Amino acid sequence: SSGINAEWPLRPGEQALADYAHNLIWLKSSYLKVPETPVIAFGGSYGGMLAAWFRLKYPSMVDGAIAASAPLWMFPGMMKDCTSPYQVITGVFRNQGNDCNTKVSASWKKINSLAISGQGRKKLQVLFKTCKPFQTVSDVSKLLSWLDSMYFDMAMVNYPYPTSFLADLPAWPVSRFCGAAAKQSDTLTAIAAGSQIYFNYTGTSKCLDLDSDPDGGLGMTAWDVQACLQMILPICSDPAKDMFPKEPFDLKSYVQYCENQWKSVAQPYWLKYTFGGIYGFNFKSASQIFFSDGNLDPWSAGGVQQVDGEVCGYDCPKFLIKDGAHHLDLRGSNENDPSSVIEARYTEIEAISRWISPLARQRKVDF
């Protein structure tokens, strides 16, 4: 692995915010020449975090922010239980019935048992239609990792209509996975059949390439660098609480990985302290930020919650979207949208109308 280039910002979160501020000043003053036009920041996922932070750090630049599916409370020490994201995923699969989550839970041990012998590894290759044979037990770990990512991503993009966000998927892909799995009596045959929904829904894939990016080319290498610098989000699994094998999270080991992989010095608490105080939850100085999460989205486990009926200093609505996946409210409208996301969008519009009203904007910004 190579070290981080000297030109890479050591605090990319703050650098991104500063870049947005610089570009916004240029856009309003020099390009569009509309210095007093109200501005609202929008973002989903990491972009949602940036939108909220932008309103916190540069409140004179934007009149409000829509922060969708932004896991702002997922930094070290903030989640009560690091298994929470996997518990959300487990619940999504459990709610499909047909013992879907139970089959997933039982599959890990069966895969590991087959991985021990050459004959077992051959069976796994045939079942899951992998492009390459499993020569060693270590090779099978790629399959385990891919399945873990598939379940996470499938819950995250469990949209009510076909999408190509992470992969070409049908509407309600978790339901389709569990439906395909329910037709098989054997556990591994069921999981293999369900996995076809994720990697070969279109029928154009000849085999499962475990060396490809399971997240659809979202630039996970660049994200790994950024995570190592500032965005360490502790996530773990425990079969006593979810449908995944035991995978603890150890911050010290993760930091060591970052130093070895990227020759970087991790700052796991910096963004938490910068925008939320010593415990990360203090948004009392914030105003006019709309926080939304979908109850099907594993990242909702780290979403901002109301504290004593409030989220921030002033006018920070929180909306939990029933049957909503990852930042569904920021996607284009669709005839299959659940009523909850339609309500969320109307509520966001109402908030924006409040924020950009003349009464709310009793200030002048001189660009």
Side-chain angles (χ1 to χ4, degrees), residues 162-207:
T163 61
S164 300
F165 180 27
L166 299 181
D168 291 321
L169 293 173
W172 300 117
V174 174
S175 176
R176 292 290 297 272
F177 172 95
C178 294
K183 296 176 183 179
Q184 308 294 330
S185 57
D186 175 71
T187 298
L188 289 189
T189 304
I191 299 302
S195 68
Q196 291 278 318
I197 300 298
Y198 189 83
F199 90 88
N200 197 25
Y201 169 61
T202 60
T204 57
S205 297
K206 295 181 179 180
C207 58

Short mmCIF file of all heavy atoms in Angstrom, two decimals, residues 162-207:
data_model
loop_
_atom_site.label_atom_id
_atom_site.label_comp_id
_atom_site.label_asym_id
_atom_site.label_seq_id
_atom_site.Cartn_x
_atom_site.Cartn_y
_atom_site.Cartn_z
N PRO A 162 -37.45 -0.34 -8.90
CA PRO A 162 -36.13 -0.80 -9.38
C PRO A 162 -35.11 0.35 -9.38
O PRO A 162 -35.44 1.49 -9.70
CB PRO A 162 -36.41 -1.28 -10.81
CG PRO A 162 -37.87 -1.58 -10.83
CD PRO A 162 -38.51 -0.59 -9.90
N THR A 163 -33.87 0.03 -9.00
CA THR A 163 -32.80 1.03 -8.98
C THR A 163 -31.49 0.42 -9.47
O THR A 163 -31.35 -0.80 -9.56
CB THR A 163 -32.57 1.59 -7.56
OG1 THR A 163 -32.19 0.51 -6.69
CG2 THR A 163 -33.82 2.27 -7.03
N SER A 164 -30.54 1.30 -9.74
CA SER A 164 -29.18 0.87 -10.12
C SER A 164 -28.16 1.63 -9.29
O SER A 164 -27.07 1.95 -9.76
CB SER A 164 -28.95 1.12 -11.62
OG SER A 164 -29.85 0.40 -12.41
N PHE A 165 -28.51 1.95 -8.05
CA PHE A 165 -27.65 2.75 -7.18
C PHE A 165 -26.35 2.00 -6.86
O PHE A 165 -25.24 2.48 -7.14
CB PHE A 165 -28.43 3.10 -5.92
CG PHE A 165 -27.67 3.92 -4.91
CD1 PHE A 165 -26.63 4.75 -5.29
CD2 PHE A 165 -28.00 3.87 -3.57
CE1 PHE A 165 -25.93 5.50 -4.36
CE2 PHE A 165 -27.32 4.62 -2.62
CZ PHE A 165 -26.28 5.44 -3.03
N LEU A 166 -26.47 0.82 -6.29
CA LEU A 166 -25.30 0.00 -5.98
C LEU A 166 -25.19 -1.19 -6.94
O LEU A 166 -24.10 -1.69 -7.19
CB LEU A 166 -25.37 -0.52 -4.55
CG LEU A 166 -25.39 0.54 -3.44
CD1 LEU A 166 -25.44 -0.13 -2.08
CD2 LEU A 166 -24.17 1.45 -3.54
N ALA A 167 -26.34 -1.64 -7.41
CA ALA A 167 -26.40 -2.75 -8.36
C ALA A 167 -27.76 -2.66 -9.04
O ALA A 167 -28.64 -1.92 -8.59
CB ALA A 167 -26.25 -4.10 -7.63
N ASP A 168 -27.93 -3.38 -10.13
CA ASP A 168 -29.24 -3.43 -10.78
C ASP A 168 -30.16 -4.29 -9.93
O ASP A 168 -29.98 -5.52 -9.84
CB ASP A 168 -29.11 -4.01 -12.19
CG ASP A 168 -28.37 -3.07 -13.14
OD1 ASP A 168 -28.60 -1.85 -13.05
OD2 ASP A 168 -27.57 -3.57 -13.95
N LEU A 169 -31.13 -3.65 -9.30
CA LEU A 169 -31.98 -4.35 -8.33
C LEU A 169 -33.46 -4.11 -8.62
O LEU A 169 -33.84 -3.05 -9.13
CB LEU A 169 -31.66 -3.89 -6.91
CG LEU A 169 -30.28 -4.26 -6.36
CD1 LEU A 169 -30.06 -3.58 -5.02
CD2 LEU A 169 -30.15 -5.77 -6.22
N PRO A 170 -34.29 -5.07 -8.25
CA PRO A 170 -35.73 -4.89 -8.41
C PRO A 170 -36.31 -4.05 -7.28
O PRO A 170 -35.61 -3.70 -6.33
CB PRO A 170 -36.26 -6.34 -8.33
CG PRO A 170 -35.30 -7.00 -7.38
CD PRO A 170 -33.95 -6.39 -7.68
N ALA A 171 -37.58 -3.74 -7.38
CA ALA A 171 -38.26 -3.08 -6.27
C ALA A 171 -38.25 -4.00 -5.05
O ALA A 171 -38.33 -5.22 -5.18
CB ALA A 171 -39.70 -2.75 -6.67
N TRP A 172 -38.12 -3.41 -3.87
CA TRP A 172 -38.09 -4.14 -2.61
C TRP A 172 -37.18 -5.37 -2.70
O TRP A 172 -37.62 -6.51 -2.60
CB TRP A 172 -39.50 -4.59 -2.20
CG TRP A 172 -40.48 -3.47 -2.01
CD1 TRP A 172 -41.62 -3.26 -2.74
CD2 TRP A 172 -40.43 -2.41 -1.04
NE1 TRP A 172 -42.27 -2.14 -2.29
CE2 TRP A 172 -41.58 -1.60 -1.24
CE3 TRP A 172 -39.52 -2.07 -0.02
CZ2 TRP A 172 -41.83 -0.46 -0.48
CZ3 TRP A 172 -39.78 -0.93 0.74
CH2 TRP A 172 -40.93 -0.15 0.51
N PRO A 173 -35.88 -5.16 -2.92
CA PRO A 173 -34.96 -6.29 -3.12
C PRO A 173 -34.88 -7.27 -1.96
O PRO A 173 -34.65 -8.46 -2.17
CB PRO A 173 -33.61 -5.60 -3.38
CG PRO A 173 -33.75 -4.23 -2.79
CD PRO A 173 -35.18 -3.86 -2.99
N VAL A 174 -35.06 -6.80 -0.73
CA VAL A 174 -35.01 -7.72 0.42
C VAL A 174 -36.17 -8.71 0.34
O VAL A 174 -36.00 -9.91 0.58
CB VAL A 174 -35.04 -6.95 1.76
CG1 VAL A 174 -35.16 -7.93 2.93
CG2 VAL A 174 -33.79 -6.10 1.92
N SER A 175 -37.33 -8.22 -0.04
CA SER A 175 -38.48 -9.10 -0.21
C SER A 175 -38.23 -10.13 -1.30
O SER A 175 -38.57 -11.32 -1.16
CB SER A 175 -39.73 -8.27 -0.55
OG SER A 175 -40.84 -9.11 -0.81
N ARG A 176 -37.59 -9.68 -2.39
CA ARG A 176 -37.30 -10.60 -3.49
C ARG A 176 -36.26 -11.63 -3.08
O ARG A 176 -36.34 -12.80 -3.45
CB ARG A 176 -36.82 -9.80 -4.71
CG ARG A 176 -37.90 -8.93 -5.35
CD ARG A 176 -38.96 -9.78 -6.05
NE ARG A 176 -38.38 -10.52 -7.17
CZ ARG A 176 -38.27 -10.03 -8.40
NH1 ARG A 176 -38.68 -8.79 -8.68
NH2 ARG A 176 -37.75 -10.76 -9.37
N PHE A 177 -35.26 -11.20 -2.30
CA PHE A 177 -34.25 -12.13 -1.79
C PHE A 177 -34.92 -13.20 -0.94
O PHE A 177 -34.69 -14.41 -1.14
CB PHE A 177 -33.21 -11.38 -0.96
CG PHE A 177 -32.23 -12.28 -0.24
CD1 PHE A 177 -31.01 -12.58 -0.80
CD2 PHE A 177 -32.54 -12.83 1.01
CE1 PHE A 177 -30.10 -13.42 -0.14
CE2 PHE A 177 -31.66 -13.67 1.67
CZ PHE A 177 -30.44 -13.96 1.09
N CYS A 178 -35.74 -12.77 0.00
CA CYS A 178 -36.38 -13.72 0.91
C CYS A 178 -37.38 -14.60 0.19
O CYS A 178 -37.56 -15.78 0.55
CB CYS A 178 -37.05 -12.96 2.06
SG CYS A 178 -35.87 -12.11 3.15
N GLY A 179 -38.01 -14.06 -0.84
CA GLY A 179 -38.93 -14.86 -1.62
C GLY A 179 -38.23 -15.97 -2.37
O GLY A 179 -38.69 -17.12 -2.41
N ALA A 180 -37.07 -15.63 -2.96
CA ALA A 180 -36.27 -16.64 -3.67
C ALA A 180 -35.73 -17.68 -2.70
O ALA A 180 -35.71 -18.88 -2.99
CB ALA A 180 -35.13 -15.97 -4.42
N ALA A 181 -35.30 -17.23 -1.51
CA ALA A 181 -34.76 -18.15 -0.51
C ALA A 181 -35.84 -19.09 0.03
O ALA A 181 -35.57 -20.26 0.34
CB ALA A 181 -34.13 -17.36 0.63
N ALA A 182 -37.06 -18.60 0.12
CA ALA A 182 -38.16 -19.40 0.69
C ALA A 182 -38.51 -20.60 -0.19
O ALA A 182 -39.10 -21.57 0.30
CB ALA A 182 -39.39 -18.52 0.89
N LYS A 183 -38.16 -20.55 -1.44
CA LYS A 183 -38.49 -21.64 -2.37
C LYS A 183 -37.53 -22.82 -2.23
O LYS A 183 -37.73 -23.86 -2.86
CB LYS A 183 -38.47 -21.12 -3.80
CG LYS A 183 -39.53 -20.06 -4.10
CD LYS A 183 -39.40 -19.52 -5.51
CE LYS A 183 -40.42 -18.42 -5.78
NZ LYS A 183 -40.28 -17.86 -7.15
N GLN A 184 -36.47 -22.64 -1.43
CA GLN A 184 -35.47 -23.68 -1.26
C GLN A 184 -35.50 -24.21 0.17
O GLN A 184 -35.56 -23.42 1.12
CB GLN A 184 -34.07 -23.13 -1.59
CG GLN A 184 -33.96 -22.44 -2.94
CD GLN A 184 -34.15 -23.40 -4.10
OE1 GLN A 184 -33.84 -24.59 -3.99
NE2 GLN A 184 -34.66 -22.88 -5.22
N SER A 185 -35.42 -25.51 0.31
CA SER A 185 -35.44 -26.10 1.66
C SER A 185 -34.06 -26.12 2.30
O SER A 185 -33.91 -25.99 3.51
CB SER A 185 -36.01 -27.52 1.60
OG SER A 185 -35.25 -28.33 0.71
N ASP A 186 -33.02 -26.28 1.48
CA ASP A 186 -31.65 -26.30 1.99
C ASP A 186 -31.16 -24.88 2.25
O ASP A 186 -31.35 -23.98 1.42
CB ASP A 186 -30.73 -26.98 0.97
CG ASP A 186 -29.27 -26.92 1.39
OD1 ASP A 186 -28.90 -27.63 2.35
OD2 ASP A 186 -28.52 -26.15 0.76
N THR A 187 -30.53 -24.67 3.40
CA THR A 187 -30.12 -23.32 3.81
C THR A 187 -29.21 -22.64 2.80
O THR A 187 -29.47 -21.51 2.35
CB THR A 187 -29.42 -23.36 5.18
OG1 THR A 187 -30.34 -23.85 6.15
CG2 THR A 187 -28.96 -21.97 5.59
N LEU A 188 -28.11 -23.30 2.42
CA LEU A 188 -27.16 -22.66 1.51
C LEU A 188 -27.73 -22.50 0.11
O LEU A 188 -27.43 -21.50 -0.58
CB LEU A 188 -25.85 -23.43 1.49
CG LEU A 188 -24.99 -23.34 2.75
CD1 LEU A 188 -23.63 -23.97 2.53
CD2 LEU A 188 -24.82 -21.89 3.19
N THR A 189 -28.53 -23.44 -0.34
CA THR A 189 -29.18 -23.30 -1.64
C THR A 189 -30.11 -22.09 -1.61
O THR A 189 -30.21 -21.34 -2.59
CB THR A 189 -29.97 -24.57 -1.99
OG1 THR A 189 -29.10 -25.70 -1.95
CG2 THR A 189 -30.56 -24.46 -3.40
N ALA A 190 -30.77 -21.88 -0.47
CA ALA A 190 -31.67 -20.73 -0.32
C ALA A 190 -30.89 -19.42 -0.37
O ALA A 190 -31.29 -18.48 -1.06
CB ALA A 190 -32.41 -20.85 1.01
N ILE A 191 -29.76 -19.35 0.34
CA ILE A 191 -28.97 -18.13 0.35
C ILE A 191 -28.37 -17.86 -1.03
O ILE A 191 -28.35 -16.72 -1.50
CB ILE A 191 -27.84 -18.22 1.40
CG1 ILE A 191 -28.42 -18.40 2.81
CG2 ILE A 191 -26.94 -17.00 1.34
CD1 ILE A 191 -29.37 -17.30 3.24
N ALA A 192 -27.91 -18.90 -1.69
CA ALA A 192 -27.36 -18.74 -3.04
C ALA A 192 -28.42 -18.25 -4.01
O ALA A 192 -28.17 -17.38 -4.85
CB ALA A 192 -26.77 -20.06 -3.53
N ALA A 193 -29.63 -18.79 -3.89
CA ALA A 193 -30.72 -18.35 -4.76
C ALA A 193 -31.07 -16.89 -4.51
O ALA A 193 -31.29 -16.11 -5.45
CB ALA A 193 -31.96 -19.24 -4.54
N GLY A 194 -31.10 -16.52 -3.24
CA GLY A 194 -31.39 -15.13 -2.91
C GLY A 194 -30.32 -14.17 -3.38
O GLY A 194 -30.61 -13.05 -3.84
N SER A 195 -29.06 -14.61 -3.31
CA SER A 195 -27.95 -13.73 -3.70
C SER A 195 -27.98 -13.40 -5.20
O SER A 195 -27.44 -12.39 -5.63
CB SER A 195 -26.61 -14.35 -3.32
OG SER A 195 -26.35 -15.51 -4.10
N GLN A 196 -28.64 -14.28 -5.97
CA GLN A 196 -28.77 -14.01 -7.40
C GLN A 196 -29.54 -12.70 -7.65
O GLN A 196 -29.30 -12.01 -8.64
CB GLN A 196 -29.52 -15.16 -8.09
CG GLN A 196 -28.74 -16.47 -8.16
CD GLN A 196 -27.77 -16.49 -9.33
OE1 GLN A 196 -28.09 -16.06 -10.42
NE2 GLN A 196 -26.57 -17.00 -9.09
N ILE A 197 -30.42 -12.36 -6.74
CA ILE A 197 -31.19 -11.11 -6.86
C ILE A 197 -30.25 -9.91 -6.84
O ILE A 197 -30.49 -8.91 -7.52
CB ILE A 197 -32.23 -11.00 -5.73
CG1 ILE A 197 -33.22 -12.17 -5.77
CG2 ILE A 197 -32.97 -9.67 -5.80
CD1 ILE A 197 -34.04 -12.25 -7.02
N TYR A 198 -29.18 -10.03 -6.05
CA TYR A 198 -28.28 -8.88 -5.91
C TYR A 198 -27.27 -8.79 -7.05
O TYR A 198 -27.08 -7.71 -7.62
CB TYR A 198 -27.52 -8.96 -4.57
CG TYR A 198 -26.75 -7.69 -4.27
CD1 TYR A 198 -27.38 -6.61 -3.69
CD2 TYR A 198 -25.40 -7.58 -4.57
CE1 TYR A 198 -26.70 -5.43 -3.42
CE2 TYR A 198 -24.70 -6.41 -4.30
CZ TYR A 198 -25.36 -5.34 -3.73
OH TYR A 198 -24.66 -4.18 -3.48
N PHE A 199 -26.63 -9.90 -7.40
CA PHE A 199 -25.55 -9.78 -8.38
C PHE A 199 -25.97 -10.13 -9.80
O PHE A 199 -25.23 -9.84 -10.77
CB PHE A 199 -24.33 -10.62 -7.96
CG PHE A 199 -24.32 -12.05 -8.45
CD1 PHE A 199 -23.76 -12.37 -9.69
CD2 PHE A 199 -24.85 -13.07 -7.68
CE1 PHE A 199 -23.73 -13.67 -10.13
CE2 PHE A 199 -24.82 -14.38 -8.12
CZ PHE A 199 -24.27 -14.68 -9.35
N ASN A 200 -27.18 -10.69 -9.97
CA ASN A 200 -27.56 -11.09 -11.33
C ASN A 200 -29.05 -10.96 -11.57
O ASN A 200 -29.67 -11.80 -12.21
CB ASN A 200 -27.12 -12.54 -11.58
CG ASN A 200 -27.10 -12.88 -13.06
OD1 ASN A 200 -26.97 -12.00 -13.91
ND2 ASN A 200 -27.25 -14.15 -13.38
N TYR A 201 -29.64 -9.87 -11.09
CA TYR A 201 -31.07 -9.66 -11.29
C TYR A 201 -31.40 -9.52 -12.78
O TYR A 201 -32.45 -9.99 -13.24
CB TYR A 201 -31.51 -8.41 -10.53
CG TYR A 201 -32.90 -7.93 -10.88
CD1 TYR A 201 -34.01 -8.74 -10.66
CD2 TYR A 201 -33.10 -6.67 -11.45
CE1 TYR A 201 -35.29 -8.31 -10.99
CE2 TYR A 201 -34.37 -6.23 -11.76
CZ TYR A 201 -35.46 -7.05 -11.54
OH TYR A 201 -36.71 -6.62 -11.86
N THR A 202 -30.51 -8.93 -13.54
CA THR A 202 -30.76 -8.72 -14.97
C THR A 202 -30.48 -9.97 -15.80
O THR A 202 -30.85 -10.03 -16.97
CB THR A 202 -29.88 -7.57 -15.51
OG1 THR A 202 -28.49 -7.92 -15.33
CG2 THR A 202 -30.17 -6.27 -14.77
N GLY A 203 -29.80 -10.96 -15.19
CA GLY A 203 -29.48 -12.18 -15.92
C GLY A 203 -28.31 -12.05 -16.87
O GLY A 203 -28.05 -12.94 -17.69
N THR A 204 -27.55 -10.96 -16.75
CA THR A 204 -26.43 -10.72 -17.67
C THR A 204 -25.08 -11.14 -17.09
O THR A 204 -24.09 -11.18 -17.81
CB THR A 204 -26.36 -9.24 -18.06
OG1 THR A 204 -26.24 -8.44 -16.87
CG2 THR A 204 -27.63 -8.82 -18.81
N SER A 205 -25.03 -11.42 -15.78
CA SER A 205 -23.76 -11.81 -15.15
C SER A 205 -23.56 -13.32 -15.30
O SER A 205 -24.41 -14.11 -14.90
CB SER A 205 -23.75 -11.43 -13.67
OG SER A 205 -23.85 -10.04 -13.50
N LYS A 206 -22.42 -13.69 -15.85
CA LYS A 206 -22.13 -15.11 -16.05
C LYS A 206 -21.69 -15.78 -14.75
O LYS A 206 -21.85 -16.99 -14.59
CB LYS A 206 -21.05 -15.27 -17.12
CG LYS A 206 -21.49 -14.81 -18.51
CD LYS A 206 -20.39 -15.01 -19.53
CE LYS A 206 -20.83 -14.56 -20.92
NZ LYS A 206 -19.76 -14.75 -21.93
N CYS A 207 -21.10 -14.99 -13.86
CA CYS A 207 -20.63 -15.55 -12.60
C CYS A 207 -20.47 -14.44 -11.58
O CYS A 207 -20.50 -13.25 -11.91
CB CYS A 207 -19.29 -16.29 -12.81
SG CYS A 207 -17.97 -15.24 -13.49
#
